[in-house]
Amino acid sequence: MRKRVPSLPKDTSRGFTLVEVVVALAVLSLIMLATVSALRTFANTQTSLDRVIERIDETRTVSSFLRSLVASAAQGQYEGGLTLGGPPENSSFFFADESFMTWKATVLFGENFGGTYLLRVQRQGDALVLLWQEPSNDNSNVDWSDAASRQLISGLQEFSLAFRPNFVDDWVTKWEPGAPPALVRLRIKTRDRYWPDLVMELPW
């Protein structure tokens, strides 16, 4: 009688099938794609937020600076033409149209350098600049080509001014030398967006 050989126990463990591996890789790829998209969205949001903050800071800084310069305008008797000895130091002057504004102000550049200067805000290319020089005998016809300057805004797309003779009249776009307007309005557009209108009351 033949002796029966006991059978070995069957190995119940098995590996992943090809289909299971493909499905797992597909799910992992979707998870990684979602993570990368979320990180990219977060980076874009942070960049946009930084631009908004930078824009707000620029608007606040420039607006504050211009308000301060206008508030420091020289007050006193208005200049009324040529004088042999030059205009009085404390005389007022204002001349502007829709593209520039010139006025006399007492300003301080640094701790030990300042005085009464003729100031001018105007557009130069794609920048808004502030120019200054010492007053002359005829401030309405001075040469600004060699004046000291400082860039206030870059990427300027639009810049215009308007003026109100008093608080109830309509806005006008040109102002002759003489008695200044009650209000001046600056309209600025940079990076395809308009700033809030900057309306300033002149101090005289």
Side-chain angles (χ1 to χ4, degrees), residues 17-35:
T17 65
L18 179 61
V19 173
E20 291 173 331
V21 171
V22 170
V23 171
L25 288 176
V27 172
L28 181 61
S29 298
L30 290 175
I31 294 174
M32 293 181 63
L33 180 62
T35 303

Side-chain angles (χ1 to χ4, degrees), residues 30-31 38 56 66 72 104 117 131 138 144 147 171 174 182 184:
L30 290 175
I31 294 174
I56 292 174
L66 289 174
S72 65
K104 189 195 291 186
Y117 288 88
L131 302 97
D138 184 8
W144 290 94
W171 292 100
K174 187 172 178 61
V184 59

Side-chain angles (χ1 to χ4, degrees), residues 1-203:
M1 188 173 175
R2 187 182 297 177
K3 212 170 188 181
R4 189 174 180 181
V5 179
S7 61
L8 296 174
K10 291 183 178 180
D11 186 6
T12 57
S13 63
R14 63 185 182 87
F16 292 106
T17 65
L18 179 61
V19 173
E20 291 173 331
V21 171
V22 170
V23 171
L25 288 176
V27 172
L28 181 61
S29 298
L30 290 175
I31 294 174
M32 293 181 63
L33 180 62
T35 303
V36 171
S37 298
L39 291 175
R40 183 179 298 137
T41 301
F42 177 77
N44 291 339
T45 302
Q46 184 65 40
T47 301
S48 300
L49 183 60
D50 290 341
R51 288 176 181 171
V52 170
I53 293 174
E54 180 183 355
R55 180 184 178 86
I56 292 174
D57 287 342
E58 181 183 44
T59 302
R60 183 186 299 114
T61 301
V62 174
S63 299
S64 233
F65 182 66
L66 289 174
R67 287 184 187 279
S68 175
L69 290 178
V70 170
S72 65
Q75 303 178 40
Q77 180 181 4
Y78 298 118
E79 295 179 16
L82 298 176
T83 57
L84 294 178
E89 192 74 12
N90 63 343
S91 61
S92 299
F93 177 80
F94 186 90
F95 179 50
D97 65 17
E98 63 179 348
S99 62
F100 73 88
M101 181 171 69
T102 305
W103 73 104
K104 189 195 291 186
T106 303
V107 293
L108 183 66
F109 297 104
E111 296 182 356
N112 301 314
F113 178 58
T116 300
Y117 288 88
L118 207 58
L119 307 179
R120 184 182 181 100
V121 172
Q122 68 178 31
R123 179 175 185 171
Q124 286 185 355
D126 64 346
L128 183 67
V129 298
L130 170 72
L131 302 97
W132 64 90
Q133 62 177 304
E134 294 184 359
S136 68
N137 291 343
D138 184 8
N139 288 322
S140 59
N141 292 307
V142 296
D143 181 13
W144 290 94
S145 58
D146 295 326
S149 64
R150 170 184 173 182
Q151 180 176 295
L152 300 178
I153 302 172
S154 61
L156 187 68
Q157 293 173 301
E158 290 185 28
F159 173 69
S160 62
L161 295 102
F163 316 94
R164 268 186 172 172
N166 52 59
F167 292 94
V168 295
D169 288 341
D170 294 332
W171 292 100
V172 296
T173 58
K174 187 172 178 61
W175 199 263
E176 299 295 340
L183 297 171
V184 59
R185 182 190 70 198
L186 278 69
R187 184 161 289 171
I188 298 170
K189 181 181 180 182
T190 60
R191 304 176 188 89
D192 298 323
R193 292 191 178 183
Y194 282 99
W195 290 27
D197 284 351
L198 178 58
V199 178
M200 298 176 288
E201 180 181 358
L202 279 80

